[in-house]
Amino acid sequence: MLRAFIQFADAERDFPGHLTRHTVDEVGVQEKDFLRQIGSRPSSTSGPLGNVDLTGHDLGGNSLLDVLTRMGVDVENDPEAQRLLALQAALATVADLDLRARDEIVAALGGEDALASVNGEPLPDEPLILDGVASDVVDRVRAIDALMVTVGTSLSGIELRTSARRLLRRLALAEPKLFRGTAKDANSAASILWITGHINSMFRSVTEGFTVRALTDALEITAAPSTRAKVFLRALGVKDIQDWMGFPRLGDPSLLIGEERERLLSDLQVIEDEMDDDDPWDEDNSW
């Protein structure tokens, strides 16, 4: 949840993407130290709990609260018991957050079945593919692509251009009516680049390079790209835009540049290592 909140808040303010990634990575680094600081989890307790030994205690499917109560501990008035219960809740929360983060990353990479084939290879330089696109919108789609090629390549490079072209085709196939209206081609081009930029963590600076401001200036538009992007996202099945902004994803690794796929795979490995760690505490401490 904290990781998702950081990404959402930074995206709302177009915060540099590399700093966002650094912050999210630091959450994982500091997580275990934080848990150690809020309690060292000694094998024996002190205070009103006396010398009750909890080392290796089998809860037998019961909650810790039930076990302490059966042991005759005045849970409501015993600060040591309250600390143990708080630690249990914290550990459960961390495990839940790791599981949610893993699910988000796996979904972004196309699902469990796709993981084995996902790698960090760069996207190729490929042309716009119009096979299957409704004939009456082909010219409009080509015009939008021409704008994306000119602006996208200069600001973000070949890989994002390919990603944007693939997304444009996907939209044209899914909802051709989106390209039959009166919306300006420049606004559509900006919105598609805005979406692909976000799913690829490309908005790395607020002052230079590929920024929302640079995008709108290059296309000479005043409308926020996010406005029409919401229409496109709904056509792609994204129902909750605010939730999507917390972790921009479309579930298609073919839209992700090599660097982004590599980053997600690395994050996934870190999370799975944490989940496989039976005891996130120091070796000298035990439950």
Side-chain angles (χ1 to χ4, degrees):
M1 186 178 296
L2 179 58
R3 294 182 178 95
F5 175 75
I6 290 170
Q7 293 178 78
F8 166 75
D10 286 1
E12 283 290 287
R13 298 176 61 85
D14 289 329
F15 203 68
H18 69 288
L19 295 181
T20 298
R21 288 195 295 274
H22 175 75
T23 303
V24 171
D25 291 344
E26 191 64 22
V27 169
V29 172
Q30 297 297 329
E31 186 175 77
K32 294 178 183 179
D33 287 338
F34 169 73
L35 291 176
R36 292 190 187 99
Q37 290 177 28
I38 64 174
S40 58
R41 238 174 44 163
S43 59
S44 296
T45 63
S46 57
L49 272 176
N51 294 318
V52 175
D53 187 6
L54 295 176
T55 303
H57 191 84
D58 182 6
L59 298 184
N62 299 309
S63 69
L64 177 59
L65 175 60
D66 288 339
V67 171
L68 292 175
T69 300
R70 291 175 185 177
M71 292 168 65
V73 177
D74 184 3
V75 176
E76 291 187 2
N77 298 308
D78 190 322
E80 190 67 16
Q82 291 293 323
R83 187 183 71 83
L84 289 172
L85 290 170
L87 284 172
Q88 185 189 50
L91 289 172
T93 300
V94 169
D96 183 55
L97 290 177
D98 278 343
L99 183 59
R100 291 183 189 181
R102 182 188 184 279
D103 289 345
E104 290 280 13
I105 292 175
V106 170
L109 292 173
E112 296 283 356
D113 293 340
L115 285 180
S117 60
V118 176
N119 56 47
E121 290 296 315
L123 291 179
D125 182 5
E126 66 182 31
L128 174 66
I129 300 174
L130 294 169
D131 295 350
V133 175
S135 59
D136 65 318
V137 300
V138 166
D139 288 344
R140 192 80 181 275
V141 171
R142 280 179 175 153
I144 293 171
D145 176 65
L147 290 169
M148 293 195 309
V149 168
T150 301
V151 175
T153 305
S154 62
L155 291 177
S156 58
I158 292 174
E159 281 195 82
L160 198 72
R161 181 179 72 190
T162 294
S163 174
R165 278 178 159 168
R166 290 177 175 180
L167 181 58
L168 174 59
R169 169 180 164 77
R170 184 168 163 181
L171 285 165
L173 291 173
E175 290 287 352
K177 65 181 181 181
L178 293 173
F179 304 96
R180 294 182 178 129
T182 58
K184 294 181 178 179
D185 291 346
N187 287 342
S188 294
S191 297
I192 292 172
L193 287 168
W194 184 89
I195 293 173
T196 53
H198 273 298
I199 65 174
N200 283 291
S201 304
M202 291 290 287
F203 295 113
R204 298 176 178 177
S205 172
V206 296
T207 59
E208 59 184 17
F210 190 51
T211 66
V212 174
R213 179 61 181 273
L215 183 59
T216 56
D217 285 350
L219 288 167
E220 299 180 345
I221 63 174
T222 56
S226 58
T227 302
R228 184 148 180 77
K230 292 177 181 178
V231 177
F232 287 151
L233 288 169
R234 280 193 286 270
L236 294 170
V238 177
K239 298 179 180 179
D240 189 334
I241 306 301
Q242 289 300 322
D243 176 69
W244 184 85
M245 285 299 298
F247 190 145
R249 70 279 186 199
L250 290 176
D252 185 353
S254 72
L255 297 176
L256 302 178
I257 64 174
E259 181 182 339
E260 183 66 10
R261 276 177 274 119
E262 191 68 41
R263 183 186 71 82
L264 289 173
L265 288 170
S266 177
D267 287 350
L268 180 62
Q269 185 61 57
V270 170
I271 291 171
E272 291 184 336
D273 287 345
E274 290 178 355
M275 294 173 69
D276 290 339
D277 187 357
D278 293 330
D279 187 355
W281 306 82
D282 289 333
E283 294 180 357
D284 294 336
N285 293 325
S286 59
W287 183 252

